[in-house]
Amino acid sequence: MSNVPTALSSLHWRLLTLSDLDVMEALHRLSMEGMGPQMVKPESRSFLVSLLQGRGSVIGAWAGSDLVAYGVLQHDLLPEDDPRHHLGLSAQQPLAKLAGAAVAPTWRRQGLQRALVAKRVACAGNDRVLFATAAPENTASWHNLLACGFTVRALEYRYGGFARYLLVRDAASLLLHNEAVSTGVGCELDGAALSEQQALFLQGWHGVLPGSTVGSLRLLPPPVGVR
Ligand SMILES: CC(C)(COP(=O)(O)OP(=O)(O)OC[C@H]1O[C@@H](n2cnc3c(N)ncnc32)[C@H](O)[C@@H]1OP(=O)(O)O)[C@@H](O)C(=O)NCCC(=O)NCCS
């Protein structure tokens, strides 16, 4: 890819295995330093083990022998984590979750998380609906998901009562991205106006693009005939 910055083009990518558990856990802890659970969910070592043992795939970016970033694609979900019913999807709809990403502090702001989202989208295939959660305050995280075709569908209180956007990538989200880019219409709400955002999500609106001020979100009504 010609638009990959030079430092990123020197990285190599491979799926993590159980033998990478310690480095994965170390990067998870390092990436969260200074961030509370309102921003990012701290994961247990046993959850990371379960991912590496087959509940998901974890793609890692390596600089030599150093793991500098990883992203999780989880397909084996707990019932309480499964949004199919909430989204009006059948239980047979293939689905997977982008269930966490970490970038080493010295490698940030170069597009690595966005590359990790794009790689997991490609890896999931076309028939799978994808979803992720992101704290409204974690703008880097949800901006990257919006840039890769996800839209914000709901505001939920998860992981001990912390606000999280539910972001989904499906036919409706891709349709609305095209509409937002071609028409420039929509309604912009401030990041502090979460209850107003929530009222629109409940009417089927999607958060499609970052707004013009820090933390704000541009929303569009649902496409006709599709929620
Ligand atoms: C969130 C995180 C993964 C971002 O990684 P990254 O590789 O620096 O992100 P990217 O370079 O791909 O980000 C690109 C976008 O995010 C923005 N961004 C990145 N870091 C940012 C920050 N600290 N504050 C505000 N915006 C930020 C960039 O400006 C860019 O947005 P733009 O294209 O609209 O300008 C990284 O900060 C991290 O590991 N955080 C701790 C763990 C975490 O929050 N994981 C995600 C939730 S599970």
Side-chain angles (χ1 to χ4, degrees):
M1 260 164 51
S2 58
N3 58 348
V4 176
T6 317
L8 296 197
S9 66
S10 68
L11 297 175
H12 66 277
W13 300 80
R14 70 164 170 81
L15 292 180
L16 272 54
T17 67
L18 200 50
S19 65
D20 301 311
L21 173 64
D22 288 342
V23 284
M24 181 186 181
E25 186 177 21
L27 180 54
H28 174 57
R29 307 275 171 244
L30 175 70
S31 77
M32 290 190 53
E33 270 177 15
M35 299 171 101
Q38 76 284 358
M39 283 279 276
V40 191
K41 177 170 174 263
E43 302 294 2
S44 65
R45 185 173 171 90
S46 60
F47 176 68
L48 303 185
V49 169
S50 75
L51 291 171
L52 296 171
Q53 283 182 327
R55 285 186 72 193
S57 310
V58 186
I59 180 139
W62 300 80
S65 57
D66 295 332
L67 180 66
V68 298
Y70 72 79
V72 176
L73 184 64
Q74 184 185 353
H75 46 79
D76 178 7
L77 301 166
L78 295 174
E80 62 267 28
D81 207 18
D82 187 334
R84 274 179 280 219
H85 178 68
H86 178 83
L87 296 170
L89 300 171
S90 80
Q92 285 71 43
Q93 170 63 53
L95 181 93
K97 179 180 186 184
L98 273 63
V103 175
T106 51
W107 283 84
R108 288 190 182 158
R109 306 203 85 139
Q110 300 183 63
L112 254 180
Q113 190 202 6
R114 195 162 297 187
L116 281 164
V117 175
K119 282 184 184 287
R120 285 174 287 169
V121 166
C123 173
N126 287 337
D127 62 336
R128 214 171 268 277
V129 168
L130 296 177
F131 75 103
T133 62
E137 284 178 53
N138 197 342
T139 49
S141 184
W142 58 264
H143 281 198
N144 281 329
L145 290 160
L146 294 183
C148 294
F150 287 72
T151 54
V152 184
R153 298 293 243 283
L155 178 73
E156 301 177 337
Y157 289 84
R158 288 184 172 217
Y159 315 134
F162 300 109
R164 290 291 187 267
Y165 284 142
L166 170 69
L167 294 112
V168 179
R169 190 179 193 278
D170 61 3
S173 68
L174 298 176
L175 207 64
L176 280 184
H177 270 287
N178 291 338
E179 189 178 321
V181 169
S182 62
T183 65
V185 298
C187 152
E188 185 169 317
L189 286 174
D190 193 76
L194 288 181
S195 48
E196 288 87 343
Q197 292 185 16
Q198 173 74 320
L200 291 182
F201 297 140
L202 289 170
Q203 293 169 42
W205 286 55
H206 294 217
V208 180
L209 293 171
S212 55
T213 57
V214 176
S216 64
L217 179 65
R218 191 135 70 83
L219 299 102
L220 286 182
V224 179
V226 191
R227 182 161 196 270

